[in-house]
Structures are given as structure tokens and as C-alpha cells.
Amino acid sequence: MSLDQDTTLPLDHLVSTMEARLDAWRVLNAANRAWAATGAATGDETAKQAVEHQLRCLSSLEEFYAFPGRQFMGSLAELVAEGDAAAAARLSARLSAALLSKSYHNNPGEWDSDESSLDNADRLPPALNGNGGDKHRPYFEVLVVTPTPQTKWTEVSREMRRLRRPQDPFVYELVIVGSFEDAALGAILNPAIEAVVVFDGFHFASQHDVPLLHRFLEAHVPPGVADLTSEAMTPALVRMLKNLRPELDIYLLSDRKVEEMAANPELACVRRVFYEVEEPLEIHLSILDGINDRYETPYFDNLKKYSQRPMGTFHALPVARGKSIFKSNWIRDMGEFYGLNLFLAESSATTGGLDSLLEPTGNIKTAQDKAARAFGADHAFFVTNGTSTSNKIVEQALLHPGDIVLVDRNCHKSHHYGMVLAGARPVYLEAYPMMEYSMYGGVPLRTIKKAMLDLKAEGKLDRVRMLLLTNCTFDGHVYNTRQVMEECLAIKPDLIFLWDEAWFGFARFSPFFRQRTAMGAATLIKRAMAGSDYRSALEAQHREVGVDLDPADARLLDRRLVPDPDRMRVRVYQTNSTHKSMSALRQGSMILVCDQDFHHVEEAFHEAIFTHTSTSPNLQIIASLDIARRQMELEGYEMVMKATQLALIIRSEVNRHPLVSKYFRVLDLGDMVPAEFRRTGMESLTGTDWTKAIESIWNDEFVLDPTRLTLVCGSAGFDGTEFKGMLAEKYDIQINKTSRNSILLQTNINNTRSDVAHLMKVLVDIATGIEERLAAGGEPAVAAFRGRVAGLMKDVPDMPNFSRFHDHFREDTGSATSEGDIRSAFYLAYDEGSCEHVKLNSREIDRRLKSGPELVSASFVIPYPPGFPIMVPGQVITTETIEFMRKLDVKEIHGYQASRGLKLLTPKALAVQPVMRIEVA
Ligand SMILES: *Cc1c(COP(=O)(O)O)cnc(C)c1O
């Protein structure tokens, strides 16, 4: 069977397969209905042909799903062939309804022959409909890759089904394929696949012709796999599947020496190797066990048990067990609102099976280990105070006073405070600006390399400890994490990386973006380090630019630098706000560690946890982190792909809608990332050229996280804050952040197609309103509107760069590098006598800007939006900063009170000779 060339089925659109599948069913239903309504009666063959065509397309796609499966697809084809239009229409409508509602999960296996089984599945509530049991059993599918001839596949499925036992905690169906390529397609297309069973002896080529798949496979498969013997192909298949979806359990069945296979390091990620004649029941039990390993949430499971035990509490925390609430005269509604379990699950005990977050040895430890596995890290640490705290923990643990940190000036405020606490010296790096939207992109790699080479030239490279960047940025810019780290390690082999992935934790579960996460890149770098790639590239580099990189050599900035595998250390940290992109309660955050030298810092790391962690961490947050991990390991792939897909739909709907696009636009890759950072020339996220998209994701310096959508509203005459307020008050749409002329929308694993529809309806509504107002107001209204739009879109204040630290906070004032002692500046401001306030619009400001003494900020000043500090303690304030502040029309400015004015360090305080405050480690 092969796909027709003219098929409308976008198998090529790997990201949108789920929606595409449902769409294809909708098309089939429509064709069937049309045929049943008119065609069949009039003998019109074209209506029937349309059905046949669509059915053919769909059938090849459906090979990768257990339901409706061969039987139903066969019945449908038969009805069509027999010309029974009404029955075909009825069956296809019921099948697609079952797909949509996933009702077939409830009695798997019973639907493979009998149409009436669909009735049962539709009618019974899921909880009552498990195979004989009365408990909902999660359903999944298992991919089987086998040389067994296709004619026997149905029997294989039946045989596995016979092994089901009432006490099985889960239930599954098989999807059987015969080739390497079809295995890849199955893993990509079918998110319900949770495990793969590979029988030795399958062949390579798919029967389907999918160009993108080949492109995709090229990157995940060593060349020449197609020509390998079938036995040698197995390790390549395993690696490819793990690259696509690392969470999948993989089992091997072989009649070769299984002991040898089990010992093969290439197959280390296989969960179990079986000798082919072994009991099928063993395989069945192993599959269930593998799922259970992901399903188990050690902390949450135990908390549930704990809450059900009768317990007299004599510790603090009166709400535990809820008696002070449910018996209260006045606060009983709290209990009614939150429900009893919340209080039963509250405790301040760390015994009785409740582990301690501060010193985990039991189920919190196990839960963290599972999280490390799920997110591809060596270690994971749960944090219950948000990533604000995670960042401070990492910074305190790794930075000595006096260490230099290269840091994006626009990073989250927790980092600036983290550096104050640690006594680190920030070298602020400038991201590229997007002036017309009052926002910043990412920090170009060239800028980072330049800063490092400058520090090397000044003899300070030894003191550079860390590079700290936000990935992705608030607005969705995603770094090429691998390239950034490799090139930095070429300059300084032991540099530590902290990637703040507050928003990007979910990306682990996207096969497109995983490699651009901190942990994904760290894994790739470790793999490359073990191979020979670096070594040969390094030799070329030595020949060309020498062994010891000369900071004066301008070629280094443009050359891709290669690290030395014998000297480099992989030391990567990631923090993520699990609550921002996954199903964790607010403040649920994680620290992920992939550090070859972690043992050297482990003690300091624990001290830092003690410093920043409450001794009463919230149990529900810990449990939710455990649960978020379970969900992502079992359905993260599906959810993330869906969120991505919805984002792409919004992007194209808004930008193509004839009315909406007159006033609104979602910024595309080409708007957000200047051409110099897009070597592949990829311009748009909604173009159909996915081959190029994948190339861009692999190679370009910056790409865009599609789920973060910057919607320009200035062109509709609204400033960001105003538009945000309007969406919330009038339309019940909550959005993320705003800029002067845009708002940031975000899709996540919680969104559905109806949310998209609602959003579009609202935009149509607003656009219609504008049109009506302009029509009613005539010329003057149009002119006023144009003026307002021009003001918002063109008259945008220039954003000031970081100026410099005042000499008082610099150790060597002649230095060409910009690091400063932010901590001393911060604490100098604690002395009231060292501070003064000067009104923003006063003459004094202008006079001092012109003829001194210099204005030096005593505090952080952070306007929202844009949300980055335009002043940090000890920073010299320049004309650009003052102009920006004077033009700024936002109400929320942290660290600045208009009535008192700017808080400055007095010239007198700055004239005192600084004592060398902090020893350099
Ligand atoms: C939100 C955010 C943080 C802080 O995380 P919380 O979980 O809110 O404490 C840190 N960094 C970035 C980039 C963020 O967006």
C-alpha cells in the first residue's frame, strides 16, 4: 500500500499529525455523507470515488494506531466496495466520534470485530467500563517491530490480549509494523505508544514515502543503516527511538545470545532483552512494570496513604486534619471550598513516610531521581519557592565572592539578587534589541565570545566562573544551547552554565526542541566528547588559529570554536518553573544538574538548599512536582505537540484572517530574529517547508518557541497594558505579559481547540468594533486612529544599554572589561547617609548629566513592562536611561517612587576610598 502523490493527508507535517488525523476523518465523514445523501441514489460515481480516495489515504495513516485498527478499516472498505453508502457513513461517523472522545480506551480489544462494541464504549461512563473491573485503567499502545509476515499480525495481537488479567493496572493494545522506518513513523505519529517491542530481523524501508521522515532520520541514524544486516540494525533503531522519545520503554526479543546483547553498551537504554522463546507472559508483565515505573509517584502515593490514616497530631499546623476549619463557626467555607483531602494531606511531620525536602532520603529522593530520569539530568532537586529560589540556590552553591559571571542583563530579577547575595561580579551582556516592539531578543554568541576573549586579554579568565542565560526568553527566543556551550568551553574548558529555562521545561518532550534545552544539549555534548568529532575538528583549529586562542585574533569571533575533549568539563545546570509549563502547583520548580564535577560542589549545593529552603515546605507542591513528572513521562509528548500545534494554528489564523490581520499580527520568526542569526533563511513558523524548519532548529543561532506568541496590538490602536486589561475584563482572556505595543499570548498543555476559536472570535469582534467606529466617525476618526497607531508603533523610546559600574565598584578602573561589585553597591545603599533622592524631572538631573558629579543608582529599577532592570546598584546613570524613564508611561516600576525621585548614592559616599572588600577566591 502506498500513499497517493496527490494525497491531502499531511503526513509530512509531523508536528500536526494528531489534528491532521482528526481532520482526515472529518473529510471522510463529509465525503461519506455526501455520497449517502445524493451520490448513491443517482449512481454518481465521483461521490463514491471521493470516499474511496480519502479512505485509502486514511488507511495508510491508521496502520500506526490500534484503533480503529485493521478490522474496522476493513469493514469500512467493504461497505464502500459494496456500495452501501448509508452503512459506510454511519460506521465512519461512529469511528471518528470514538476517536474524538477516546471512548475506545474503555474496552480495548472488544472493538476489533463488532460494531456494537462501539455502543458500549460510548454509553458507559469510563469509571464503570474497565474490562470487568470497576476502576478506570489507563490505556496505552505498544509498538511491535517484527519480521513476522503481515498476515499473522492480527493473531499476534490476539495472543497478547489473551494475557490480560483482571488485576493488571493498565491495559494496552498492539500496533505492529515491519520496518525500521515504520517504527519511526509509529513513534512519531502515535502519542499513545508508551513501549516498543523489537523482534530481531525486521527490514529497513517503509512502504510509505515520506520525504521529511528521511530528513529526520538522517539526523538520528548513522549513515548506512539501511544497508546493515538486520541484526546490526537493532542498536540503530533503539537509539533512534530514544532520540525521538526518550521516555519510551524498549524491549528486545532475539534468538541471538541475549547475554551478549544485554551487555552491549549500545543497548544500555533497552529496558530488557528476552530470548525469543521465553514466556509471552514475561513480556506482558515487563511492559506493565515499565509503565508502572513511570506511573508511580512515590511522594504523592505516600501522601495519599498518609492522609487516610487516623492520626492524632500534636505538632504545629492546626489546619492539619482540618478540625479547626470544619468545626469552625466562621471559616467553614474554607473547608467546603478546598475539600477535606487538602487538610488531611497537611502535616509538618517528616516521619511516618513523609520524607524531608531538606534532607531527602526516602520517597522525595526517589521522586527526584525519577524526575532526573524524565528530564534527562543526573540529578533533580525539587524547590517549593519557585525558580526565583532555584536560581539563588544554584548561584550561591557555585559562585564564590569575586567570581565573574557573564549574564544577560535582561535576566530575571532573581539572578541579580542572587549575584548580590553571592558577591559575584556580573559582566552584563546585551541581548540584541527589537526596538520597534520595545523588547530584547537573546545575547548573540559573538557578544558572549567577545566578552570572554576580552576577559582573557585582561588576564581574568580564571575568575570567570559561569555563563547565565535565559532559554527561552520571555518572548520565545531559543538559544542554540549546544553551540553556545561548545564555543565557550573552547575558550574556557571548565566554565559552568546556568540556563534559566523557567518557561521551557516542557521542551524536553518535544523532539524538535529537546536538543535546544540545557539538558538535551549537555547530553549531545557528552556524546560528542566520547566520540572523535571534536578531536578531528580541534586539530584543524590548532592548525588554523593555534593551540592557545589569542584574544586579539579577530577570526575567533566568526569561527566555530571547538572544545578540547581532554580538557573540557560538562557542567550544566538548569532551573525551570515546572508550574509555568506543566501540571505543578504554583511555585513548583526544579533544578536539573548535569555536572561531571558535581561531587566537588555537592556540599556547597546542600548548604545553598538549606539557606533558601523553608523548613516548612508545602507538601502539596512537592506532590504536584512528582505528579507533573508522571504526566510528562506518560503524555508529555502528546500534550506538548498539541500545544505547539495550537500555537501554529493561532499564528496562521490571525495572520491570514482578512479582517483580523488588518489590525493585528502575530510576530513571526523573521520579525523576532534578525537574518544574521538565521543562516538557513527560515522566515516563518507557519510555512509548510518542514524540512527547512528542522534544519533551522538544528543549526540557526536563534529560533522561536512557537508557543510564545507576540501579538501586535499597537496597530489596532491599543497599547499593551490597555489591551491586556480589555481582554481580561471584557472577554475573560488572561494573557501573559505586555510590551508597549504588543501582548504575549501563550499556549500550553492545558489549551484546546475551543480556546483558539474563542480567541479568534474575540479578535474578530474587536476588529469589527474598530471598523464600525472608524466608519461612524468619518475622516477625523480615521486620522485620530492613524495618529494613535503611529504613536504606538513608531514613536518608541530607545531602550538604554547597560552603561557601566561606577569606578568605586571596580577593582581595576583602567580595565576594558565591565565586571563590577554589585554587592558593595547594594549594601552601601543600606546606609541612609550615603543615599539621596533626586526627582526625575528636576533640573539637577540635567545639570549633573552635563557636568557631574555622576548619577549613580543606589537600587535596582525595574519597570514592568519591559521587566528588565534599567538600573542596578552602582550603575552610572546616563542620558539614555533618564530619557527612557521620562518617556516610560507604565505605572509599575519596582525600585522607584515618583514622589521621592531616583535613589542615588551620594558623591560624598562614592568619594571615600573603597576598602578592598572581598577576597578573590
Ligand atoms: C518566572 C521566571 C522566574 C521565576 O520563577 P518563579 O517560579 O516565578 O519564582 C525566573 N526566571 C524566568 C526567566 C522567569 O520567567
Side-chain angles (χ1 to χ4, degrees):
M1 195 184 310
S2 78
L3 286 178
D4 289 5
Q5 285 308 303
D6 63 341
T7 172
T8 52
L9 198 63
L11 256 190
D12 258 11
H13 294 198
L14 295 186
V15 71
S16 56
T17 52
M18 301 154 215
E19 206 58 40
R21 183 182 179 209
L22 294 176
D23 280 343
W25 275 97
R26 275 190 279 272
V27 173
L28 177 66
N29 284 336
N32 254 320
R33 274 198 309 272
W35 179 38
T38 60
T42 59
D44 177 3
E45 278 299 302
T46 52
K48 185 180 178 191
Q49 281 159 5
V51 173
E52 283 168 340
H53 170 76
Q54 189 60 19
L55 188 58
R56 243 189 343 267
C57 297
L58 202 49
S59 295
S60 48
L61 183 63
E62 288 302 334
E63 285 178 23
F64 299 100
Y65 303 88
F67 181 87
R70 278 158 210 285
Q71 247 76 1
F72 271 131
M73 293 309 283
S75 316
L76 194 52
E78 258 170 49
L79 292 175
V80 174
E82 287 162 8
D84 191 345
R90 200 179 60 234
L91 180 57
S92 90
R94 298 180 70 182
L95 291 177
S96 58
L99 275 176
L100 205 59
S101 66
K102 297 191 172 172
S103 59
Y104 64 94
H105 286 188
N106 299 328
N107 57 349
E110 285 169 17
W111 28 258
D112 74 342
S113 49
D114 181 5
E115 200 184 330
S116 67
S117 64
L118 294 170
D119 295 332
N120 295 336
D122 290 345
R123 213 179 306 126
L124 294 181
L128 298 175
N129 205 9
N131 258 6
D134 57 356
K135 188 169 162 284
H136 165 70
R137 287 199 289 183
Y139 168 89
F140 64 97
E141 297 180 6
V142 174
L143 184 68
V144 176
V145 192
T146 176
T148 311
Q150 209 163 353
T151 46
K152 300 213 175 121
W153 289 359
T154 311
E155 183 45 38
V156 174
S157 292
R158 279 216 186 98
E159 200 179 315
M160 282 309 271
R161 212 174 285 140
R162 276 198 287 272
L163 297 171
R164 280 183 197 160
R165 305 160 314 155
Q167 70 266 38
D168 289 346
F170 318 106
V171 59
Y172 64 89
E173 283 290 324
L174 302 189
V175 173
I176 305 181
V177 297
S179 71
F180 187 105
E181 290 190 332
D182 282 334
L185 276 177
I188 295 169
L189 294 173
N190 184 345
I193 301 251
E194 299 286 356
V196 186
V197 181
V198 181
F199 288 78
D200 254 351
F202 55 87
H203 58 273
F204 184 79
S206 165
Q207 303 136 319
H208 306 282
D209 184 25
V210 187
L212 182 62
L213 175 70
H214 298 298
R215 177 70 191 84
F216 207 94
L217 290 181
E218 270 168 33
H220 290 292
V221 174
V225 171
D227 309 321
L228 292 177
T229 63
S230 154
E231 287 182 4
M233 229 188 270
T234 303
L237 175 67
V238 169
R239 175 182 273 207
M240 185 270 304
L241 290 169
K242 281 286 182 184
N243 277 347
L244 287 173
R245 294 182 52 190
E247 70 279 8
L248 293 178
D249 293 324
I250 300 182
Y251 302 92
L252 286 189
L253 274 91
S254 172
D255 53 10
R256 288 185 277 154
K257 285 209 173 108
V258 284
E259 306 77 24
E260 264 171 38
M261 292 184 79
N264 180 349
E266 287 250 30
L267 299 176
C269 55
V270 168
R271 197 175 163 91
R272 211 174 140 185
V273 181
F274 292 102
Y275 196 60
E276 218 164 293
V277 295
E278 236 168 308
E279 273 298 291
L281 184 63
E282 273 301 300
I283 301 169
H284 173 72
L285 294 177
S286 295
I287 290 172
L288 295 179
D289 186 57
I291 301 303
N292 200 48
D293 192 18
R294 278 180 269 162
Y295 185 82
E296 265 177 359
T297 33
Y299 186 78
F300 174 55
D301 298 346
N302 194 64
L303 187 62
K304 279 192 290 185
K305 257 189 242 151
Y306 171 90
S307 70
Q308 299 311 320
R309 286 208 302 259
M311 199 82 65
T313 58
F314 289 98
H315 53 62
L317 197 72
V319 300
R321 321 308 292 177
K323 281 177 248 172
S324 72
I325 292 155
F326 289 97
K327 291 187 179 160
S328 161
N329 197 21
W330 295 103
I331 65 166
R332 211 173 297 176
D333 60 328
M334 181 190 188
E336 282 157 13
F337 182 73
Y338 287 107
L340 181 60
N341 279 346
L342 179 65
F343 305 100
L344 293 181
E346 279 287 341
S347 173
S348 65
T350 54
T351 51
L354 294 177
D355 202 1
S356 155
L357 184 65
L358 285 142
E359 196 87 83
T361 53
N363 46 49
I364 294 184
K365 175 91 176 66
T366 321
Q368 290 184 155
D369 291 346
K370 281 178 184 252
R373 170 188 72 196
F375 290 93
D378 298 336
H379 310 278
F381 297 91
F382 291 173
V383 176
T384 57
N385 285 72
T387 298
S388 305
T389 294
S390 301
N391 289 336
K392 286 174 207 149
I393 289 175
V394 176
E395 279 143 23
Q396 183 187 323
L398 300 175
L399 299 175
H400 303 234
D403 279 352
I404 294 174
V405 177
L406 299 169
V407 51
D408 180 358
R409 197 251 319 222
N410 307 329
C411 67
H412 188 260
K413 64 202 288 188
S414 54
H415 297 291
H416 300 278
Y417 288 108
M419 284 182 292
V420 167
L421 295 177
R425 309 292 150 91
V427 167
Y428 284 117
L429 304 173
E430 295 294 343
Y432 69 80
M434 299 162 52
M435 287 299 182
E436 62 271 53
Y437 305 109
S438 291
M439 25 166 131
Y440 281 96
V443 180
L445 179 51
R446 216 169 184 283
T447 305
I448 301 170
K449 285 161 74 177
K450 175 88 171 51
M452 290 188 73
L453 291 168
D454 287 350
L455 285 156
K456 183 171 183 181
E458 295 278 328
K460 292 179 189 163
L461 200 54
D462 282 351
R463 286 175 53 199
V464 179
R465 179 96 167 147
M466 178 187 277
L467 171 67
L468 195 172
L469 294 170
T470 311
N471 187 53
C472 63
T473 66
F474 219 117
D475 302 296
H477 305 87
V478 182
Y479 282 86
N480 191 331
T481 43
R482 176 177 179 174
Q483 188 179 353
V484 168
M485 292 197 279
E486 284 176 345
E487 295 214 39
C488 289
L489 289 173
I491 300 174
K492 186 164 199 304
D494 60 353
L495 188 66
I496 300 175
F497 300 89
L498 169 54
W499 295 97
D500 180 337
E501 296 188 347
W503 291 104
F504 209 44
F506 73 94
R508 164 81 185 166
F509 297 89
S510 159
F512 300 102
F513 286 104
R514 184 180 311 116
Q515 64 204 312
R516 296 190 78 125
T517 64
M519 290 303 125
T523 306
L524 294 174
I525 291 174
K526 278 207 279 192
R527 205 179 284 164
M529 217 172 135
S532 58
D533 290 1
Y534 287 154
R535 223 166 277 282
S536 48
L538 188 65
E539 278 165 24
Q541 177 172 304
H542 285 169
R543 280 194 302 278
E544 234 179 275
V545 293
V547 174
D548 185 25
L549 301 176
D550 175 5
D553 185 346
R555 287 176 302 171
L556 301 186
L557 292 179
D558 297 309
R559 191 186 195 289
R560 177 151 185 174
L561 299 177
V562 189
D564 180 347
D566 296 329
R567 293 177 59 219
M568 67 191 278
R569 308 298 294 161
V570 178
R571 310 196 64 183
V572 185
Y573 291 75
Q574 185 254 33
T575 53
N576 78 80
S577 295
T578 319
H579 68 95
K580 283 184 183 170
S581 73
M582 293 168 262
S583 301
L585 295 178
R586 201 158 163 81
Q587 295 193 3
S589 168
M590 285 187 206
I591 301 170
L592 302 179
V593 181
C594 174
D595 180 357
Q596 294 180 311
D597 292 332
F598 189 63
H599 53 285
H600 292 310
V601 292
E602 202 166 353
E603 273 182 35
F605 199 86
H606 288 294
E607 285 297 340
I609 289 177
F610 292 152
T611 308
H612 295 282
T613 304
S614 163
T615 47
S616 315
N618 185 301
L619 310 192
Q620 320 321 322
I621 297 178
I622 302 173
S624 76
L625 287 168
D626 201 12
I627 295 164
R629 188 274 312 152
R630 178 211 288 177
Q631 175 170 52
M632 293 315 278
E633 261 191 326
L634 287 161
E635 53 187 353
Y637 173 69
E638 174 166 17
M639 300 183 104
V640 167
M641 292 305 253
K642 186 168 165 206
T644 309
Q645 201 179 310
L646 289 179
L648 294 174
I649 294 173
I650 296 177
R651 285 172 178 277
S652 52
E653 297 261 307
V654 171
N655 291 353
R656 290 189 200 145
H657 192 283
L659 175 61
V660 171
S661 65
K662 263 171 88 176
Y663 299 99
F664 299 99
R665 194 160 69 88
V666 179
L667 294 186
D668 213 334
L669 188 58
D671 307 298
M672 306 276 293
V673 178
E676 58 185 300
F677 306 121
R678 289 180 282 114
R679 262 164 299 177
T680 57
M682 166 107 167
E683 287 273 337
S684 171
L685 294 178
T686 47
T688 46
D689 189 353
W690 278 95
T691 312
K692 197 170 197 174
I694 285 178
E695 214 166 285
S696 165
I697 288 173
W698 275 320
N699 297 314
D700 279 344
E701 181 163 351
F702 292 105
V703 294
L704 209 54
D705 171 2
T707 67
R708 307 189 68 78
L709 306 109
T710 301
L711 179 79
V712 178
C713 54
S715 41
F718 302 106
D719 75 46
T721 315
E722 180 187 2
F723 194 59
K724 174 182 174 168
M726 177 167 140
L727 286 180
E729 278 152 36
K730 254 181 101 174
Y731 298 102
D732 293 324
I733 291 180
Q734 290 182 5
I735 58 132
N736 207 306
K737 69 147 216 180
T738 59
S739 85
R740 180 178 167 82
N741 48 26
S742 72
I743 59 165
L744 183 75
L745 302 163
Q746 193 196 344
T747 60
N748 61 38
I749 61 171
N750 186 41
N751 287 109
T752 62
R753 201 73 195 241
S754 345
D755 297 336
V756 178
H758 179 51
L759 176 70
M760 279 313 290
K761 189 177 169 308
V762 167
L763 293 179
V764 169
D765 223 52
I766 295 173
T768 311
I770 297 172
E771 299 252 290
E772 284 168 3
R773 256 183 294 125
L774 294 184
E779 247 341 283
V782 174
F785 178 77
R786 290 221 181 98
R788 168 110 180 113
V789 169
L792 286 166
M793 299 300 293
K794 299 223 175 73
D795 182 21
V796 184
D798 272 359
M799 294 178 298
N801 279 350
F802 178 76
S803 52
R804 61 189 166 84
F805 284 106
H806 187 267
D807 282 351
H808 189 81
F809 306 106
R810 310 251 303 138
E811 280 141 30
D812 41 1
T813 49
S815 165
T817 59
S818 64
E819 74 279 4
D821 180 2
I822 194 171
R823 178 186 169 93
S824 297
F826 182 87
Y827 282 111
L828 186 55
Y830 274 29
D831 172 20
E832 274 180 46
S834 300
C835 299
E836 59 183 338
H837 284 88
V838 182
K839 287 272 180 66
L840 184 61
N841 288 314
S842 66
R843 290 253 171 80
E844 186 182 345
I845 296 261
D846 295 306
R847 190 164 28 88
R848 283 178 63 176
L849 281 173
K850 212 186 223 167
S851 40
E854 282 176 323
L855 303 162
V856 178
S857 180
S859 60
F860 288 104
V861 175
I862 309 179
Y864 286 82
F868 63 85
I870 55 174
M871 296 174 205
V872 308
Q875 179 184 339
V876 173
I877 301 171
T878 57
T879 313
E880 290 77 49
T881 311
I882 294 296
E883 275 177 6
F884 183 75
M885 274 209 75
R886 285 178 176 167
K887 275 197 197 171
L888 209 62
D889 47 8
V890 302
K891 289 183 194 69
E892 197 179 341
I893 305 179
H894 295 185
Y896 169 72
Q897 284 171 276
S899 58
R900 299 194 70 193
L902 292 172
K903 188 175 180 187
L904 304 174
L905 294 169
T906 62
K908 195 161 150 246
L910 294 169
V912 177
Q913 190 61 28
V915 219
M916 204 48 235
R917 285 159 302 250
I918 287 163
E919 78 293 356
V920 172

